[in-house]
Amino acid sequence: MPEERKPTVEELLAKAKEPARKAPAWHAFYRGKVGVTLKCAITDYQDFGIWYTPGVAQPCREIAESPEKVFEYTNKGNFVAVVSDGTRVLGLGDIGPEAALPVMEGKAILFKYLGGVDAFPVTIDTKDPDELIQAVKWIAPAFGGINLEDISSPKCFYVLDRLRKELEIPVWHDDQQGTASITLAGVLNALKVVGKDPKRVTYAVIGSGAANIAFVRVLLTYGVPPGNVIMVDSKGILHPGREDLEANKDKNPYKWDYAVRTNAERRTGGIKEALEGADVCVAASKPGPGTIKPEWIAGMAKDAIVFACANPIPEIWPWEAKEAGARIIGTGRSDFPNQINNSLGFPGIFRGTLDVFARTITDEMAIAAAEAIAATAEEKGLHEEYIVPTMMEWEVFINEAVAVAKKAIEQGVARRILSEDELRAQAERMIRYARQETEILMREGHIKPPPEV
């Protein structure tokens, strides 16, 4: 058989730009991506007397007397608010709450289709963290969970920490915990492919914003020695001699903590020096190309792993990293192999969290999700271009949901106790329903095919 022709760099670049080219026309065609559908039957107009007044007064009275009944009588246990102030949207930065809305709608699609979760985009017009916290607390009674999204660092840490302490429903910042979960899953499986122990390798973590601060926290919770991690921000490697970090430690204690605890070799310099001899590079920093240079990748250890996850353009193109000697490459994009993307995490994680009415999402629950993601791919056979499942492998979300719910029960943060079989049946039912609902609406012509552009 003739050898398959490899695409040229120009063809790969054109493919990478295709989603952005189509997006405006598709968004305009549907005038948004999410709406509200009914769960209850309407057999005749008399039913409204049950669903609304006067019949609805009885469940209201019972909830007033026993607040936990809200999970039984309403959809609170499957409602999630996707909350953003629009201050750090994808690779676009501070574009405001209106411009952030398409992203939050997109998040709601993924919640519903992949996890069977009813998610609502909620963009809030304030940059003040305390106002944002108060706004979330005001709307929290209607929701079973809060997904914080695209909030600038270090404000996002403060907002998350306070809301986790002050609310009795799970609060999750997907740019922190979600990124950490899928990145850990990818790292674990990539290291299996190259035959290295995750607790004995060196990690170069490029970028010290919300995503990587949380990734390192979860990595350390998993058992990786802090000294094995070398972090880099826009001014260089984090280390105790960085006077700028010490001076700013009250405003951003997270970076100063890692400057003190990580980097056992006390390296200084920048990205190049951090990558020297490193086994794993996890980058969530400035969009490329060119943020990470091929010659720096060449200085990494044998069988190096490179996750270049900046959006919309990775810090280094995958083919450049491969030519420089990296064995396994992942990005945040769906048009290259090994997509290290939050979408593999949060739908299943929230599914499991909501199914047991959990009060919070712990780091251990995030690790359980990462291990479930990794195990799902491993069962199908790992190789250099397949270290995590794709979003179309829907069993990964069921596996995550079960693992997360079991961990919530084990840690005592669940309001409802279900067996593993019950958890699996519940997750499968909810996810299957969401997919079939969409398929029926498309088949019946209520959702029309997108336009050709």
Side-chain angles (χ1 to χ4, degrees):
M1 292 184 62
E3 185 177 345
E4 184 179 351
R5 185 182 72 85
K6 292 184 178 180
T8 65
V9 171
E10 290 74 18
E11 288 170 336
L12 289 167
L13 286 169
K15 182 181 177 183
K17 295 176 180 178
E18 196 64 5
R21 187 183 70 81
K22 291 182 177 180
W26 283 28
H27 280 70
F29 181 76
Y30 292 109
R31 290 179 56 197
K33 305 185 286 283
V34 293
V36 176
T37 60
L38 302 185
K39 290 175 65 178
C40 63
I42 307 294
T43 58
D44 63 41
Y45 283 95
Q46 299 302 315
D47 291 351
F48 292 129
I50 298 171
W51 302 136
Y52 192 50
T53 187
V56 74
Q58 187 55 34
C60 291
R61 292 188 191 99
E62 294 187 24
I63 293 170
E65 293 173 3
S66 303
E68 292 295 297
K69 284 192 173 182
V70 71
F71 290 100
E72 179 181 351
Y73 288 157
T74 78
N75 199 49
K76 176 184 172 76
N78 203 50
F79 278 151
V80 167
V82 182
V83 176
S84 180
D85 62 358
T87 53
R88 195 183 186 281
V89 180
L90 298 176
L92 304 173
D94 184 356
I95 59 174
E98 288 88 355
L101 192 55
V103 178
M104 305 313 130
E105 283 195 345
K107 199 85 175 186
I109 287 180
L110 298 173
F111 262 116
K112 184 67 173 179
Y113 193 79
L114 302 177
V117 174
D118 295 314
F120 288 83
V122 181
T123 53
I124 296 176
D125 190 10
T126 181
K127 294 184 181 181
D128 183 293
D130 292 306
E131 290 184 353
L132 181 60
I133 289 166
Q134 186 58 65
V136 173
K137 290 172 70 173
W138 279 332
I139 67 172
F143 295 96
I146 305 292
N147 181 96
L148 301 174
E149 191 78 17
D150 293 345
I151 299 169
S152 61
S153 175
K155 172 172 59 176
C156 59
F157 299 108
Y158 171 70
V159 172
L160 176 66
D161 289 348
R162 272 201 50 197
L163 287 173
R164 288 181 79 180
K165 290 175 184 175
E166 296 175 24
L167 290 179
E168 278 290 301
I169 57 173
V171 182
W172 165 273
H173 184 206
D174 199 43
D175 299 315
Q176 293 184 52
Q177 299 141 301
T179 301
S181 297
I182 179 56
T183 306
L184 178 61
V187 165
L188 294 177
N189 275 353
L191 289 170
K192 289 172 190 170
V193 172
V194 301
K196 295 182 181 182
D197 183 343
K199 297 179 183 178
R200 297 176 67 88
V201 300
T202 300
Y203 299 83
V205 179
I206 313 305
S208 298
N212 276 344
I213 290 285
F215 168 64
V216 172
R217 188 186 74 231
V218 170
L219 199 64
L220 303 189
T221 302
Y222 183 76
V224 171
N228 291 19
V229 179
I230 301 162
M231 300 187 72
V232 182
D233 68 5
S234 61
K235 296 182 179 179
I237 292 175
L238 273 58
H239 60 83
R242 286 274 302 271
E243 294 180 359
D244 59 317
L245 297 179
E246 185 173 12
N248 201 39
K249 65 182 180 181
D250 290 337
K251 184 178 179 182
N252 194 340
Y254 312 95
K255 284 175 71 170
W256 175 245
D257 177 52
Y258 285 144
V260 173
R261 294 172 61 202
T262 64
N263 186 14
E265 298 176 13
R266 295 299 184 244
R267 294 191 197 184
T268 59
I271 298 174
K272 176 185 176 182
E273 289 75 19
L275 289 173
E276 288 178 0
D279 300 278
V280 179
C281 167
V282 172
S285 59
K286 177 185 172 184
T291 301
I292 296 176
K293 299 186 182 301
E295 55 266 32
W296 301 346
I297 299 296
M300 294 181 69
K302 183 182 178 183
D303 294 329
I305 296 159
V306 176
F307 291 172
C309 296
N311 276 312
I313 306 296
E315 290 88 348
I316 182 170
W317 287 116
W319 57 85
E320 293 178 324
K322 194 78 170 177
E323 289 170 359
R327 184 168 169 192
I328 298 176
I329 301 102
T331 71
R333 297 182 63 119
S334 61
D335 47 359
F336 298 117
N338 299 328
Q339 184 184 20
I340 308 301
N341 187 279
N342 298 10
S343 303
L344 271 179
F346 67 85
I349 291 168
F350 262 97
R351 180 72 276 141
T353 301
L354 295 170
D355 285 344
V356 294
F357 303 150
R359 292 179 172 84
T360 188
I361 303 176
T362 65
D363 283 348
E364 290 78 9
M365 289 162 71
I367 290 171
E371 292 174 331
I373 295 169
T376 303
E378 188 174 14
E379 288 171 4
K380 298 195 172 189
L382 301 176
H383 55 80
E384 292 176 6
E385 294 194 346
Y386 181 77
I387 57 171
V388 291
T390 69
M391 284 188 286
M392 298 312 293
E393 297 170 60
W394 78 306
E395 66 270 25
V396 66
F397 302 105
I398 298 170
N399 294 340
E400 282 180 81
V402 173
V404 167
K406 286 174 64 179
K407 182 60 69 172
I409 293 169
E410 176 189 316
Q411 293 191 289
V413 298
R415 290 182 176 90
R416 180 166 69 164
I417 309 301
L418 298 174
S419 70
E420 182 169 343
D421 287 345
E422 289 172 324
L423 289 169
R424 188 166 295 279
Q426 169 76 358
E428 182 172 344
R429 181 180 66 83
M430 296 295 287
I431 296 172
R432 187 183 298 278
Y433 176 89
R435 290 180 171 227
Q436 290 181 342
E437 180 183 42
T438 304
E439 289 165 7
I440 290 168
L441 290 170
M442 291 172 65
R443 187 170 63 243
E444 295 297 320
H446 301 300
I447 298 178
K448 299 185 183 301
E452 293 289 339
V453 291

